[in-house]
Amino acid sequence: MEGQVALITGGGRGIGKAIADLLAEKGVTIVLGDVNMEDAAGAVEDIEKKGVKALAVKLDVSNSEDVSAAFKSITDTFGRLDILVNNAGITKDSLLLRMKEDEWDRVLDINLKGVFLCSKEAVKIMSKQKYGRIVNISSVVAFTGNPGQINYSASKAGIIGLTKTIAKEYAKRGITTNAVAPGFIMTAMTDALPDKVKDEMKNTIPMGEFGSVEDVANAVAFLASPTSGYVTGNIIHVNGGMYM
Ligand code: NAP
């Protein structure tokens, strides 16, 4: 994978940063697209210490102008893009009757429209190269549903349909599109939950523990590599047996 270029959206921290670190260890040039440039700049510094090129670009995935500008700066700087990891995601939890329209819109805009906008730009570049790997980060709740997460679970379920459609449309251009559906993973997103909720969640996991960001990164790295070339339109579940 040496010499390849990857964009990881929301790569400044959490799962995205772990994916960036692992791909960097494989010699991949890393572009981190994030709204939070402070985190992204810190992550770039860490990656450069591994002797790998890295770049932080300001990117709000829900904003089409930002997305076009970010992809332009990638092709201007590196001339190619081999891997897109659509990782940026947010939650704004509430039960159906309490959920405000703007909470629904914001989550769908970032988690689902953002994947559409970034994939569209990536496919333009990857089609010309006749090679590309798109890996979308969904969630176990896309398959199980989750009370309080109607917007989030709908956005993550939408990613599954989008993934299979891009996979079918671009299979003949050497582009594979797959998704990773993490269960409960230890990050800032799960840290914020009360201990009681965390214990209840652990009781639903056959392995009895939350996963690590590295567990997710390992699955992404496989789907992002040339060795997964005959795998497309599929989902790898990384959830300790929570959903099978
Ligand atoms: P995280 O720690 O909150 O990191 C998300 C990153 O995305 C942050 O750097 C965030 O920036 C960035 N971001 C937010 N809005 C953005 C936007 N509009 N454009 C670009 N970047 C944006 O989350 P995480 O836990 O690592 O989750 C990463 C992905 O895995 C998400 O898609 C999430 O839904 C999914 N996932 C997580 C879990 C879990 O248990 N953690 C389980 C299943 C799926 P800020 O710092 O400014 O917020």
Side-chain angles (χ1 to χ4, degrees), residues 42-108:
V44 161
E45 247 177 64
D46 288 351
I47 289 165
E48 283 174 338
K49 281 184 201 144
K50 297 181 205 284
V52 169
K53 277 190 242 161
L55 174 74
V57 291
K58 202 198 146 295
L59 171 63
D60 173 352
V61 294
S62 67
N63 178 318
S64 56
E65 282 170 19
D66 254 33
V67 172
S68 301
F71 278 80
K72 184 174 181 313
S73 95
I74 294 169
T75 44
D76 286 353
T77 313
F78 301 114
R80 60 183 300 114
L81 180 72
D82 303 280
I83 300 163
L84 167 66
V85 183
N86 283 306
N87 165 78
I90 62 160
T91 53
K92 283 193 185 295
D93 297 351
S94 215
L95 295 168
L96 168 62
L97 291 182
R98 288 195 199 134
M99 183 158 296
K100 298 185 181 75
E101 193 177 337
D102 66 307
E103 292 170 332
W104 170 271
D105 286 345
R106 195 68 193 128
V107 168
L108 269 288

Short mmCIF file of all heavy atoms in Angstrom, two decimals, residues 42-108:
data_model
loop_
_atom_site.label_atom_id
_atom_site.label_comp_id
_atom_site.label_asym_id
_atom_site.label_seq_id
_atom_site.Cartn_x
_atom_site.Cartn_y
_atom_site.Cartn_z
N GLY A 42 -2.81 17.91 15.25
CA GLY A 42 -2.13 17.04 16.21
C GLY A 42 -1.95 15.63 15.64
O GLY A 42 -0.89 15.01 15.78
N ALA A 43 -3.00 15.13 14.97
CA ALA A 43 -2.94 13.79 14.39
C ALA A 43 -1.91 13.74 13.26
O ALA A 43 -1.19 12.75 13.11
CB ALA A 43 -4.33 13.38 13.89
N VAL A 44 -1.82 14.83 12.48
CA VAL A 44 -0.83 14.90 11.39
C VAL A 44 0.58 14.81 11.97
O VAL A 44 1.43 14.07 11.45
CB VAL A 44 -1.02 16.21 10.57
CG1 VAL A 44 0.23 16.55 9.77
CG2 VAL A 44 -2.22 16.08 9.64
N GLU A 45 0.81 15.53 13.06
CA GLU A 45 2.14 15.50 13.71
C GLU A 45 2.51 14.07 14.11
O GLU A 45 3.62 13.60 13.86
CB GLU A 45 2.10 16.36 14.97
CG GLU A 45 2.97 17.59 14.88
CD GLU A 45 2.84 18.44 16.12
OE1 GLU A 45 3.21 17.98 17.20
OE2 GLU A 45 2.31 19.58 15.98
N ASP A 46 1.54 13.35 14.73
CA ASP A 46 1.77 11.95 15.16
C ASP A 46 2.14 11.07 13.95
O ASP A 46 3.03 10.23 14.03
CB ASP A 46 0.51 11.35 15.81
CG ASP A 46 0.25 11.95 17.18
OD1 ASP A 46 1.13 12.68 17.68
OD2 ASP A 46 -0.84 11.67 17.73
N ILE A 47 1.42 11.27 12.85
CA ILE A 47 1.64 10.43 11.66
C ILE A 47 3.00 10.73 11.04
O ILE A 47 3.73 9.81 10.65
CB ILE A 47 0.49 10.62 10.64
CG1 ILE A 47 -0.79 9.98 11.20
CG2 ILE A 47 0.84 10.02 9.28
CD1 ILE A 47 -2.05 10.39 10.49
N GLU A 48 3.35 12.01 10.99
CA GLU A 48 4.64 12.38 10.38
C GLU A 48 5.81 11.77 11.17
O GLU A 48 6.85 11.48 10.58
CB GLU A 48 4.76 13.90 10.27
CG GLU A 48 3.92 14.42 9.10
CD GLU A 48 3.86 15.93 8.99
OE1 GLU A 48 4.09 16.62 10.03
OE2 GLU A 48 3.56 16.43 7.92
N LYS A 49 5.59 11.55 12.48
CA LYS A 49 6.65 10.92 13.29
C LYS A 49 6.92 9.50 12.81
O LYS A 49 7.97 8.93 13.07
CB LYS A 49 6.23 10.89 14.77
CG LYS A 49 6.43 12.23 15.46
CD LYS A 49 6.11 12.14 16.95
CE LYS A 49 5.81 13.53 17.50
NZ LYS A 49 4.77 13.53 18.52
N LYS A 50 5.94 8.89 12.11
CA LYS A 50 6.13 7.52 11.58
C LYS A 50 6.89 7.57 10.25
O LYS A 50 7.07 6.55 9.58
CB LYS A 50 4.77 6.86 11.34
CG LYS A 50 3.93 6.64 12.59
CD LYS A 50 2.61 5.94 12.20
CE LYS A 50 1.49 6.20 13.19
NZ LYS A 50 1.58 5.46 14.44
N GLY A 51 7.24 8.78 9.80
CA GLY A 51 7.99 8.92 8.55
C GLY A 51 7.09 8.88 7.33
O GLY A 51 7.53 8.58 6.22
N VAL A 52 5.81 9.18 7.54
CA VAL A 52 4.84 9.12 6.45
C VAL A 52 4.30 10.53 6.21
O VAL A 52 4.16 11.31 7.14
CB VAL A 52 3.68 8.16 6.86
CG1 VAL A 52 2.51 8.25 5.89
CG2 VAL A 52 4.17 6.72 6.95
N LYS A 53 3.99 10.84 4.92
CA LYS A 53 3.43 12.16 4.60
C LYS A 53 2.00 12.25 5.10
O LYS A 53 1.23 11.28 4.96
CB LYS A 53 3.43 12.36 3.08
CG LYS A 53 4.75 12.85 2.54
CD LYS A 53 4.59 13.26 1.08
CE LYS A 53 5.47 12.38 0.22
NZ LYS A 53 5.16 12.32 -1.17
N ALA A 54 1.64 13.42 5.63
CA ALA A 54 0.25 13.61 6.09
C ALA A 54 -0.14 15.06 5.89
O ALA A 54 0.70 15.96 5.91
CB ALA A 54 0.11 13.22 7.55
N LEU A 55 -1.46 15.25 5.68
CA LEU A 55 -1.98 16.59 5.43
C LEU A 55 -3.33 16.71 6.13
O LEU A 55 -4.13 15.76 6.11
CB LEU A 55 -2.17 16.74 3.90
CG LEU A 55 -2.85 18.00 3.37
CD1 LEU A 55 -1.89 19.19 3.47
CD2 LEU A 55 -3.26 17.80 1.90
N ALA A 56 -3.56 17.88 6.76
CA ALA A 56 -4.88 18.12 7.35
C ALA A 56 -5.63 19.10 6.46
O ALA A 56 -5.07 20.12 6.07
CB ALA A 56 -4.73 18.71 8.75
N VAL A 57 -6.87 18.76 6.10
CA VAL A 57 -7.69 19.71 5.32
C VAL A 57 -8.96 20.02 6.10
O VAL A 57 -9.55 19.14 6.72
CB VAL A 57 -8.04 19.18 3.90
CG1 VAL A 57 -6.83 19.11 3.00
CG2 VAL A 57 -8.75 17.84 3.95
N LYS A 58 -9.35 21.30 6.03
CA LYS A 58 -10.58 21.70 6.71
C LYS A 58 -11.76 21.18 5.90
O LYS A 58 -11.87 21.46 4.71
CB LYS A 58 -10.63 23.22 6.83
CG LYS A 58 -11.56 23.68 7.94
CD LYS A 58 -11.96 25.13 7.80
CE LYS A 58 -13.38 25.36 8.28
NZ LYS A 58 -14.41 24.70 7.50
N LEU A 59 -12.57 20.37 6.54
CA LEU A 59 -13.65 19.72 5.79
C LEU A 59 -14.87 19.48 6.67
O LEU A 59 -14.82 18.73 7.63
CB LEU A 59 -13.12 18.35 5.27
CG LEU A 59 -14.13 17.40 4.64
CD1 LEU A 59 -14.76 18.01 3.38
CD2 LEU A 59 -13.47 16.08 4.28
N ASP A 60 -15.96 20.17 6.30
CA ASP A 60 -17.26 19.82 6.87
C ASP A 60 -17.93 18.98 5.80
O ASP A 60 -18.31 19.49 4.74
CB ASP A 60 -18.07 21.09 7.17
CG ASP A 60 -19.49 20.77 7.61
OD1 ASP A 60 -19.90 19.59 7.55
OD2 ASP A 60 -20.21 21.71 8.00
N VAL A 61 -18.09 17.68 6.06
CA VAL A 61 -18.56 16.76 5.02
C VAL A 61 -19.97 17.07 4.53
O VAL A 61 -20.37 16.61 3.46
CB VAL A 61 -18.47 15.28 5.47
CG1 VAL A 61 -17.04 14.85 5.67
CG2 VAL A 61 -19.31 15.02 6.73
N SER A 62 -20.72 17.85 5.32
CA SER A 62 -22.10 18.15 4.93
C SER A 62 -22.18 19.37 4.00
O SER A 62 -23.25 19.72 3.53
CB SER A 62 -22.95 18.40 6.17
OG SER A 62 -22.53 19.58 6.82
N ASN A 63 -21.02 20.00 3.73
CA ASN A 63 -20.99 21.23 2.94
C ASN A 63 -20.32 20.93 1.59
O ASN A 63 -19.12 20.64 1.53
CB ASN A 63 -20.19 22.28 3.74
CG ASN A 63 -20.05 23.58 3.01
OD1 ASN A 63 -19.80 23.62 1.81
ND2 ASN A 63 -20.22 24.66 3.74
N SER A 64 -21.11 20.99 0.51
CA SER A 64 -20.58 20.55 -0.79
C SER A 64 -19.40 21.40 -1.27
O SER A 64 -18.49 20.89 -1.93
CB SER A 64 -21.69 20.51 -1.85
OG SER A 64 -22.30 21.76 -1.93
N GLU A 65 -19.39 22.69 -0.90
CA GLU A 65 -18.25 23.54 -1.32
C GLU A 65 -16.97 23.11 -0.61
O GLU A 65 -15.90 23.02 -1.22
CB GLU A 65 -18.53 25.01 -1.01
CG GLU A 65 -19.47 25.62 -2.02
CD GLU A 65 -19.97 27.01 -1.62
OE1 GLU A 65 -19.34 27.65 -0.75
OE2 GLU A 65 -21.01 27.41 -2.17
N ASP A 66 -17.09 22.83 0.70
CA ASP A 66 -15.94 22.33 1.48
C ASP A 66 -15.43 21.02 0.87
O ASP A 66 -14.22 20.81 0.76
CB ASP A 66 -16.42 21.98 2.90
CG ASP A 66 -15.97 22.99 3.93
OD1 ASP A 66 -15.88 24.17 3.57
OD2 ASP A 66 -15.74 22.58 5.09
N VAL A 67 -16.37 20.16 0.52
CA VAL A 67 -16.00 18.83 0.01
C VAL A 67 -15.23 18.99 -1.31
O VAL A 67 -14.15 18.41 -1.48
CB VAL A 67 -17.25 17.92 -0.16
CG1 VAL A 67 -16.89 16.62 -0.87
CG2 VAL A 67 -17.87 17.62 1.21
N SER A 68 -15.77 19.81 -2.24
CA SER A 68 -15.07 20.01 -3.53
C SER A 68 -13.68 20.58 -3.29
O SER A 68 -12.70 20.13 -3.91
CB SER A 68 -15.83 21.01 -4.42
OG SER A 68 -17.10 20.55 -4.65
N ALA A 69 -13.58 21.59 -2.40
CA ALA A 69 -12.28 22.22 -2.15
C ALA A 69 -11.29 21.22 -1.55
O ALA A 69 -10.10 21.21 -1.93
CB ALA A 69 -12.45 23.41 -1.21
N ALA A 70 -11.77 20.36 -0.65
CA ALA A 70 -10.86 19.40 0.00
C ALA A 70 -10.32 18.39 -1.04
O ALA A 70 -9.12 18.10 -1.06
CB ALA A 70 -11.60 18.66 1.11
N PHE A 71 -11.20 17.91 -1.92
CA PHE A 71 -10.75 16.93 -2.92
C PHE A 71 -9.80 17.59 -3.93
O PHE A 71 -8.85 16.97 -4.40
CB PHE A 71 -11.93 16.24 -3.61
CG PHE A 71 -12.49 15.11 -2.80
CD1 PHE A 71 -13.34 15.35 -1.72
CD2 PHE A 71 -12.11 13.80 -3.06
CE1 PHE A 71 -13.83 14.30 -0.94
CE2 PHE A 71 -12.59 12.75 -2.28
CZ PHE A 71 -13.45 13.00 -1.23
N LYS A 72 -10.06 18.88 -4.22
CA LYS A 72 -9.16 19.59 -5.14
C LYS A 72 -7.78 19.70 -4.51
O LYS A 72 -6.76 19.46 -5.16
CB LYS A 72 -9.74 20.97 -5.48
CG LYS A 72 -8.89 21.69 -6.51
CD LYS A 72 -9.51 22.99 -6.98
CE LYS A 72 -8.66 23.68 -8.05
NZ LYS A 72 -7.25 23.79 -7.78
N SER A 73 -7.76 20.01 -3.21
CA SER A 73 -6.44 20.17 -2.58
C SER A 73 -5.71 18.82 -2.50
O SER A 73 -4.48 18.78 -2.59
CB SER A 73 -6.54 20.90 -1.23
OG SER A 73 -6.61 20.02 -0.18
N ILE A 74 -6.46 17.72 -2.41
CA ILE A 74 -5.80 16.39 -2.42
C ILE A 74 -5.18 16.11 -3.79
O ILE A 74 -4.01 15.72 -3.90
CB ILE A 74 -6.81 15.28 -2.06
CG1 ILE A 74 -7.27 15.44 -0.60
CG2 ILE A 74 -6.19 13.89 -2.28
CD1 ILE A 74 -8.45 14.58 -0.22
N THR A 75 -5.94 16.35 -4.86
CA THR A 75 -5.38 16.04 -6.20
C THR A 75 -4.27 17.04 -6.55
O THR A 75 -3.27 16.65 -7.16
CB THR A 75 -6.47 16.01 -7.30
OG1 THR A 75 -7.34 17.12 -7.11
CG2 THR A 75 -7.27 14.74 -7.27
N ASP A 76 -4.42 18.30 -6.13
CA ASP A 76 -3.35 19.28 -6.39
C ASP A 76 -2.06 18.87 -5.68
O ASP A 76 -0.96 19.03 -6.20
CB ASP A 76 -3.74 20.68 -5.88
CG ASP A 76 -4.78 21.34 -6.78
OD1 ASP A 76 -5.08 20.78 -7.86
OD2 ASP A 76 -5.32 22.40 -6.40
N THR A 77 -2.20 18.34 -4.44
CA THR A 77 -1.00 18.02 -3.65
C THR A 77 -0.40 16.66 -4.01
O THR A 77 0.81 16.52 -4.13
CB THR A 77 -1.34 18.03 -2.13
OG1 THR A 77 -2.09 19.20 -1.85
CG2 THR A 77 -0.10 18.00 -1.27
N PHE A 78 -1.27 15.65 -4.15
CA PHE A 78 -0.75 14.28 -4.31
C PHE A 78 -1.05 13.66 -5.68
O PHE A 78 -0.51 12.60 -6.01
CB PHE A 78 -1.31 13.37 -3.21
CG PHE A 78 -0.96 13.83 -1.82
CD1 PHE A 78 -1.94 14.27 -0.95
CD2 PHE A 78 0.37 13.83 -1.39
CE1 PHE A 78 -1.62 14.71 0.34
CE2 PHE A 78 0.70 14.26 -0.12
CZ PHE A 78 -0.29 14.70 0.75
N GLY A 79 -1.98 14.26 -6.43
CA GLY A 79 -2.26 13.76 -7.79
C GLY A 79 -3.09 12.50 -7.85
O GLY A 79 -3.36 11.98 -8.94
N ARG A 80 -3.50 11.97 -6.70
CA ARG A 80 -4.31 10.75 -6.72
C ARG A 80 -5.05 10.55 -5.39
O ARG A 80 -4.75 11.21 -4.39
CB ARG A 80 -3.46 9.52 -7.00
CG ARG A 80 -2.33 9.26 -5.99
CD ARG A 80 -1.47 8.07 -6.39
NE ARG A 80 -2.25 6.84 -6.47
CZ ARG A 80 -2.46 6.17 -7.62
NH1 ARG A 80 -1.97 6.61 -8.75
NH2 ARG A 80 -3.17 5.05 -7.61
N LEU A 81 -6.01 9.64 -5.40
CA LEU A 81 -6.67 9.22 -4.15
C LEU A 81 -7.06 7.75 -4.31
O LEU A 81 -7.81 7.40 -5.21
CB LEU A 81 -7.94 10.06 -3.88
CG LEU A 81 -8.67 9.67 -2.60
CD1 LEU A 81 -7.89 10.12 -1.36
CD2 LEU A 81 -10.08 10.27 -2.55
N ASP A 82 -6.51 6.92 -3.45
CA ASP A 82 -6.76 5.48 -3.56
C ASP A 82 -7.81 4.99 -2.58
O ASP A 82 -8.51 4.00 -2.84
CB ASP A 82 -5.45 4.72 -3.30
CG ASP A 82 -4.37 5.17 -4.25
OD1 ASP A 82 -4.37 4.71 -5.40
OD2 ASP A 82 -3.55 6.04 -3.86
N ILE A 83 -7.89 5.65 -1.42
CA ILE A 83 -8.75 5.15 -0.33
C ILE A 83 -9.55 6.33 0.24
O ILE A 83 -8.99 7.38 0.54
CB ILE A 83 -7.88 4.55 0.80
CG1 ILE A 83 -7.03 3.38 0.28
CG2 ILE A 83 -8.75 4.12 1.98
CD1 ILE A 83 -5.86 3.01 1.20
N LEU A 84 -10.86 6.12 0.35
CA LEU A 84 -11.70 7.09 1.07
C LEU A 84 -12.35 6.35 2.23
O LEU A 84 -13.03 5.33 2.01
CB LEU A 84 -12.79 7.66 0.15
CG LEU A 84 -13.91 8.42 0.89
CD1 LEU A 84 -13.38 9.70 1.55
CD2 LEU A 84 -15.06 8.77 -0.07
N VAL A 85 -12.15 6.84 3.44
CA VAL A 85 -12.85 6.28 4.59
C VAL A 85 -13.84 7.34 5.08
O VAL A 85 -13.44 8.39 5.60
CB VAL A 85 -11.88 5.87 5.73
CG1 VAL A 85 -12.67 5.22 6.87
CG2 VAL A 85 -10.80 4.93 5.22
N ASN A 86 -15.12 7.07 4.86
CA ASN A 86 -16.18 7.98 5.31
C ASN A 86 -16.48 7.66 6.77
O ASN A 86 -17.32 6.81 7.09
CB ASN A 86 -17.43 7.79 4.44
CG ASN A 86 -17.30 8.46 3.10
OD1 ASN A 86 -17.00 9.66 3.03
ND2 ASN A 86 -17.50 7.70 2.04
N ASN A 87 -15.76 8.36 7.65
CA ASN A 87 -15.83 8.07 9.08
C ASN A 87 -16.55 9.15 9.89
O ASN A 87 -17.10 8.87 10.95
CB ASN A 87 -14.39 7.89 9.60
CG ASN A 87 -14.31 7.94 11.10
OD1 ASN A 87 -14.63 6.99 11.80
ND2 ASN A 87 -13.90 9.09 11.64
N ALA A 88 -16.57 10.41 9.38
CA ALA A 88 -17.14 11.52 10.16
C ALA A 88 -18.58 11.19 10.53
O ALA A 88 -19.37 10.75 9.70
CB ALA A 88 -17.08 12.82 9.37
N GLY A 89 -18.91 11.40 11.80
CA GLY A 89 -20.27 11.12 12.24
C GLY A 89 -20.56 11.78 13.56
O GLY A 89 -19.64 12.02 14.36
N ILE A 90 -21.83 12.11 13.78
CA ILE A 90 -22.23 12.72 15.05
C ILE A 90 -23.50 12.05 15.56
O ILE A 90 -24.19 11.34 14.81
CB ILE A 90 -22.49 14.24 14.91
CG1 ILE A 90 -23.66 14.53 13.93
CG2 ILE A 90 -21.26 14.99 14.48
CD1 ILE A 90 -24.29 15.90 14.10
N THR A 91 -23.81 12.29 16.83
CA THR A 91 -25.10 11.87 17.39
C THR A 91 -25.81 13.11 17.94
O THR A 91 -25.14 14.05 18.41
CB THR A 91 -24.93 10.86 18.55
OG1 THR A 91 -24.03 11.44 19.50
CG2 THR A 91 -24.39 9.53 18.09
N LYS A 92 -27.11 13.11 17.87
CA LYS A 92 -27.95 14.10 18.58
C LYS A 92 -29.18 13.31 19.00
O LYS A 92 -30.18 13.22 18.29
CB LYS A 92 -28.34 15.26 17.65
CG LYS A 92 -27.21 16.26 17.44
CD LYS A 92 -27.67 17.54 16.80
CE LYS A 92 -26.51 18.47 16.50
NZ LYS A 92 -25.83 18.97 17.70
N ASP A 93 -29.07 12.66 20.18
CA ASP A 93 -30.05 11.66 20.59
C ASP A 93 -31.30 12.26 21.23
O ASP A 93 -31.21 13.21 22.02
CB ASP A 93 -29.42 10.69 21.60
CG ASP A 93 -28.27 9.89 21.00
OD1 ASP A 93 -28.08 9.96 19.78
OD2 ASP A 93 -27.58 9.20 21.77
N SER A 94 -32.42 11.66 20.93
CA SER A 94 -33.69 12.01 21.54
C SER A 94 -34.74 10.98 21.11
O SER A 94 -34.60 10.39 20.03
CB SER A 94 -34.12 13.39 21.02
OG SER A 94 -34.79 14.09 22.02
N LEU A 95 -35.76 10.79 21.95
CA LEU A 95 -36.85 9.88 21.54
C LEU A 95 -37.67 10.54 20.43
O LEU A 95 -37.70 11.78 20.32
CB LEU A 95 -37.75 9.56 22.74
CG LEU A 95 -37.05 8.77 23.85
CD1 LEU A 95 -37.91 8.76 25.11
CD2 LEU A 95 -36.71 7.35 23.41
N LEU A 96 -38.32 9.73 19.62
CA LEU A 96 -39.04 10.22 18.44
C LEU A 96 -39.87 11.48 18.70
O LEU A 96 -39.73 12.47 18.00
CB LEU A 96 -39.96 9.09 17.90
CG LEU A 96 -40.99 9.48 16.85
CD1 LEU A 96 -40.34 10.00 15.59
CD2 LEU A 96 -41.87 8.28 16.51
N LEU A 97 -40.72 11.45 19.73
CA LEU A 97 -41.64 12.57 19.93
C LEU A 97 -40.93 13.83 20.42
O LEU A 97 -41.47 14.93 20.31
CB LEU A 97 -42.77 12.19 20.89
CG LEU A 97 -43.76 11.18 20.31
CD1 LEU A 97 -44.88 10.89 21.31
CD2 LEU A 97 -44.36 11.63 18.99
N ARG A 98 -39.71 13.66 20.96
CA ARG A 98 -38.98 14.83 21.45
C ARG A 98 -37.96 15.35 20.44
O ARG A 98 -37.38 16.41 20.63
CB ARG A 98 -38.23 14.49 22.74
CG ARG A 98 -39.16 14.32 23.90
CD ARG A 98 -38.39 14.34 25.22
NE ARG A 98 -39.23 13.75 26.23
CZ ARG A 98 -38.84 12.85 27.11
NH1 ARG A 98 -37.60 12.43 27.12
NH2 ARG A 98 -39.68 12.38 28.00
N MET A 99 -37.72 14.57 19.42
CA MET A 99 -36.65 14.97 18.49
C MET A 99 -37.06 16.17 17.65
O MET A 99 -38.13 16.19 17.05
CB MET A 99 -36.26 13.81 17.58
CG MET A 99 -35.11 14.21 16.67
SD MET A 99 -34.18 12.87 16.03
CE MET A 99 -33.47 12.15 17.49
N LYS A 100 -36.16 17.15 17.63
CA LYS A 100 -36.44 18.36 16.86
C LYS A 100 -35.99 18.15 15.41
O LYS A 100 -35.05 17.38 15.15
CB LYS A 100 -35.68 19.54 17.46
CG LYS A 100 -36.12 19.84 18.88
CD LYS A 100 -35.44 21.11 19.39
CE LYS A 100 -35.86 21.39 20.82
NZ LYS A 100 -35.19 20.49 21.78
N GLU A 101 -36.66 18.87 14.52
CA GLU A 101 -36.37 18.72 13.09
C GLU A 101 -34.90 19.03 12.79
O GLU A 101 -34.26 18.34 11.99
CB GLU A 101 -37.28 19.67 12.29
CG GLU A 101 -37.29 19.37 10.81
CD GLU A 101 -38.26 20.27 10.06
OE1 GLU A 101 -39.22 20.80 10.68
OE2 GLU A 101 -38.06 20.44 8.85
N ASP A 102 -34.34 20.05 13.48
CA ASP A 102 -32.95 20.39 13.17
C ASP A 102 -31.98 19.31 13.68
O ASP A 102 -30.91 19.13 13.12
CB ASP A 102 -32.57 21.78 13.72
CG ASP A 102 -32.58 21.82 15.23
OD1 ASP A 102 -33.60 21.43 15.82
OD2 ASP A 102 -31.57 22.25 15.83
N GLU A 103 -32.39 18.54 14.73
CA GLU A 103 -31.53 17.43 15.20
C GLU A 103 -31.54 16.30 14.16
O GLU A 103 -30.52 15.65 13.90
CB GLU A 103 -32.03 16.91 16.55
CG GLU A 103 -31.84 17.91 17.67
CD GLU A 103 -32.53 17.51 18.97
OE1 GLU A 103 -33.56 16.80 18.94
OE2 GLU A 103 -32.05 17.94 20.03
N TRP A 104 -32.71 16.05 13.60
CA TRP A 104 -32.82 15.05 12.52
C TRP A 104 -31.96 15.49 11.33
O TRP A 104 -31.13 14.72 10.83
CB TRP A 104 -34.30 14.90 12.10
CG TRP A 104 -34.46 14.09 10.86
CD1 TRP A 104 -34.45 14.55 9.57
CD2 TRP A 104 -34.62 12.67 10.77
NE1 TRP A 104 -34.60 13.50 8.68
CE2 TRP A 104 -34.71 12.34 9.39
CE3 TRP A 104 -34.70 11.64 11.72
CZ2 TRP A 104 -34.87 11.03 8.94
CZ3 TRP A 104 -34.86 10.32 11.26
CH2 TRP A 104 -34.95 10.03 9.89
N ASP A 105 -32.14 16.75 10.89
CA ASP A 105 -31.46 17.24 9.68
C ASP A 105 -29.94 17.22 9.85
O ASP A 105 -29.22 16.80 8.94
CB ASP A 105 -31.91 18.68 9.36
CG ASP A 105 -33.32 18.72 8.79
OD1 ASP A 105 -33.83 17.66 8.37
OD2 ASP A 105 -33.91 19.82 8.77
N ARG A 106 -29.44 17.69 11.01
CA ARG A 106 -27.98 17.81 11.19
C ARG A 106 -27.32 16.42 11.13
O ARG A 106 -26.28 16.25 10.51
CB ARG A 106 -27.68 18.51 12.52
CG ARG A 106 -26.26 18.99 12.65
CD ARG A 106 -25.93 20.14 11.69
NE ARG A 106 -24.50 20.40 11.60
CZ ARG A 106 -23.81 20.45 10.45
NH1 ARG A 106 -24.39 20.27 9.30
NH2 ARG A 106 -22.51 20.70 10.47
N VAL A 107 -27.95 15.46 11.81
CA VAL A 107 -27.36 14.11 11.84
C VAL A 107 -27.41 13.47 10.44
O VAL A 107 -26.42 12.90 9.97
CB VAL A 107 -28.07 13.22 12.90
CG1 VAL A 107 -27.70 11.76 12.74
CG2 VAL A 107 -27.69 13.71 14.29
N LEU A 108 -28.53 13.62 9.76
CA LEU A 108 -28.63 13.05 8.40
C LEU A 108 -27.67 13.77 7.45
O LEU A 108 -27.06 13.14 6.57
CB LEU A 108 -30.08 13.15 7.88
CG LEU A 108 -31.00 11.95 8.15
CD1 LEU A 108 -30.60 10.75 7.28
CD2 LEU A 108 -31.06 11.53 9.59
#
